[in-house]
Amino acid sequence: MKERNPIVFLTATVTLMVLLVMGGSTLLPALALEAPPNYHTQWGSLGSGDDEFGHPSSMAVDSIGNVYVADFGNSRIQKFDSNGVFLTKWGSEGSGDGEFQYPYGVAVDNSGNVYVADTFNHRIQKFDSNGVFLTKWGSEGSGDGQFQRPFGIAVDNSDNVYVAESRNYRIQKFDSNGVFVIKWGSRGYSGDGQFNFPKSVAVDSGDLFDDSGNVYVVDSDNHRIQKFDSDGVFLTKWGRRDSGDGQFQYPSGVAVDSSGNVYVADSYNHRIQKFDSNGVFLTKWGGFGSGNGEFDLPSGVVVDNSGNVYVADSGNSRIQKFGAAPPTPTSIPTVTPTPTPTPTPMRFFLPSIINAPT
């Protein structure tokens, strides 16, 4: 029997593995580099009572694990413990202090203060951890410190505030009191630093040289993630429109864990995707539906200090929590292979004006 040349065999094997990981169209999808997390629990249903939601849009987690939910359709913020036990709420529809017009984004700083992107009032509001109003800034416009439908908001380790503006196609950076610092971005469809509906923003923990961190932006209608330093200098990007690994259909939310891994709410693919800090695909979970680990247009994602992942499952009006520990094979939420509805592109659920073209 003729022996195989070990060098040729090894080269062919490595080549095949590389093609598999790259997701070669003639072979198999890209291989996940880790297992998705365990499903833990869920809470919420459609409604306006405590622990009910009018399509939750995003979340934030404080240092002790409390979860703040932007209850978009009910124009309020709800606060829960890490297991979904209701703690408090604040806000109602209006334009006064502590009132909201469809707030989409929420973030928490190192002191536990809560920042809300009050989307249709074109402003940011700041509260303490119990919902006591502290300050606000912004008005409708395109100048520095003005907004056109701010959707996403994030706070770095130095308590700088980053705001993603959907209609001004830019990111603005402020100090914790709303003093304007810098801005970047313009409308575009493929260029670095250009945006077409920047919808969410997240900041990592930084490094020894810069604790402000890198900034990740969901460039929703360009179906990609863009990464910048804290001054808006472009670093990298990944994604395009499709349903494969590392591809997106109108992504809505982004979060970063303590290790720098990036989680994306891939809304119209009804799943969560996880990447390393440079956009290398790691794993995914979800699929269209209402069962445990399934999603209907997930719009927000956040990770706590223990590595638990919370998802705003907007179409199902609930929050789902997933654990950091690797699951057993029988409990892995997987992407369902059955066809899912192909929705008409929209901006969000309520009100109808949000669905108007940008």
Side-chain angles (χ1 to χ4, degrees):
M1 179 177 175
K2 185 177 179 180
E3 294 184 358
R4 290 179 296 186
N5 185 323
I7 297 178
V8 173
F9 178 73
L10 178 60
T11 301
T13 302
V14 171
T15 301
L16 176 60
M17 291 175 66
V18 170
L19 287 173
L20 287 172
V21 171
M22 292 176 65
S25 59
T26 59
L27 297 171
L28 297 173
L31 299 177
L33 300 182
E34 63 179 60
N38 280 316
Y39 168 83
H40 274 197
T41 190
Q42 63 178 277
W43 67 90
S45 59
L46 183 63
S48 58
D50 298 345
D51 191 29
E52 294 179 331
F53 303 108
H55 303 297
S57 53
S58 66
M59 298 156 298
V61 180
D62 65 21
S63 60
I64 60 175
N66 294 314
V67 181
Y68 301 80
V69 180
D71 189 2
F72 181 82
N74 287 321
S75 292
R76 64 183 180 180
I77 302 298
Q78 293 197 65
K79 179 180 177 180
F80 304 87
D81 73 10
S82 60
N83 293 311
V85 175
F86 175 82
L87 299 176
T88 191
K89 64 185 176 184
W90 68 91
S92 58
E93 187 171 350
S95 58
D97 296 343
E99 296 178 330
F100 306 109
Q101 287 278 0
Y102 303 105
Y104 191 92
V106 62
V108 181
D109 68 18
N110 291 324
S111 300
N113 297 308
V114 181
Y115 301 78
V116 180
D118 188 5
T119 304
F120 278 78
N121 280 325
H122 311 283
R123 65 183 180 181
I124 304 302
Q125 294 196 66
K126 179 180 177 181
F127 305 86
D128 73 10
S129 60
N130 294 311
V132 175
F133 174 82
L134 299 177
T135 191
K136 64 184 177 185
W137 68 90
S139 59
E140 186 172 6
S142 58
D144 297 344
Q146 294 184 312
F147 304 108
Q148 285 280 359
R149 296 186 187 175
F151 267 71
I153 189 167
V155 183
D156 66 21
N157 284 338
S158 300
D159 288 344
N160 296 303
V161 181
Y162 301 80
V163 180
E165 286 187 80
S166 65
R167 289 294 182 92
N168 281 327
Y169 310 99
R170 65 184 181 183
I171 304 299
Q172 289 197 72
K173 178 180 177 181
F174 304 88
D175 72 11
S176 60
N177 294 310
V179 176
F180 174 82
V181 176
I182 197 173
K183 65 185 176 185
W184 69 90
S186 60
R187 187 173 193 176
Y189 306 99
S190 61
D192 299 341
Q194 294 182 328
F195 303 112
N196 188 20
F197 203 121
K199 200 169 188 180
S200 184
V201 60
V203 186
D204 65 23
S205 57
D207 53 36
L208 293 175
F209 304 100
D210 181 10
D211 63 359
S212 294
N214 299 304
V215 182
Y216 299 82
V217 180
V218 173
D219 188 8
S220 186
D221 285 14
N222 285 328
H223 313 282
R224 64 182 181 177
I225 303 298
Q226 293 196 63
K227 178 181 177 180
F228 304 86
D229 72 11
S230 60
D231 293 319
V233 176
F234 174 83
L235 299 176
T236 191
K237 63 186 175 185
W238 67 91
R240 62 182 176 86
R241 185 176 185 179
D242 214 329
S243 58
D245 297 339
Q247 300 171 336
F248 306 108
Q249 292 261 22
Y250 298 98
S252 291
V254 63
V256 185
D257 66 19
S258 59
S259 299
N261 298 308
V262 181
Y263 301 74
V264 180
D266 186 8
S267 295
Y268 282 85
N269 283 323
H270 309 286
R271 64 185 181 182
I272 303 298
Q273 293 196 67
K274 179 180 178 180
F275 305 87
D276 73 10
S277 60
N278 293 311
V280 175
F281 173 79
L282 298 177
T283 193
K284 64 185 175 186
W285 70 95
F288 180 78
S290 58
N292 297 342
E294 296 179 325
F295 305 113
D296 182 0
L297 295 169
S299 62
V301 60
V302 71
V303 187
D304 67 18
N305 291 335
S306 300
N308 297 303
V309 182
Y310 302 82
V311 179
D313 186 8
S314 296
N316 287 318
S317 287
R318 65 182 179 180
I319 305 300
Q320 293 196 64
K321 178 182 177 180
F322 300 85
T328 60
T330 56
S331 63
I332 297 176
T334 57
V335 177
T336 176
T338 56
T340 60
T342 302
T344 302
M346 66 178 187
R347 297 298 180 263
F348 206 69
F349 303 95
L350 297 170
S352 60
I353 190 172
I354 298 181
N355 300 334
T358 56

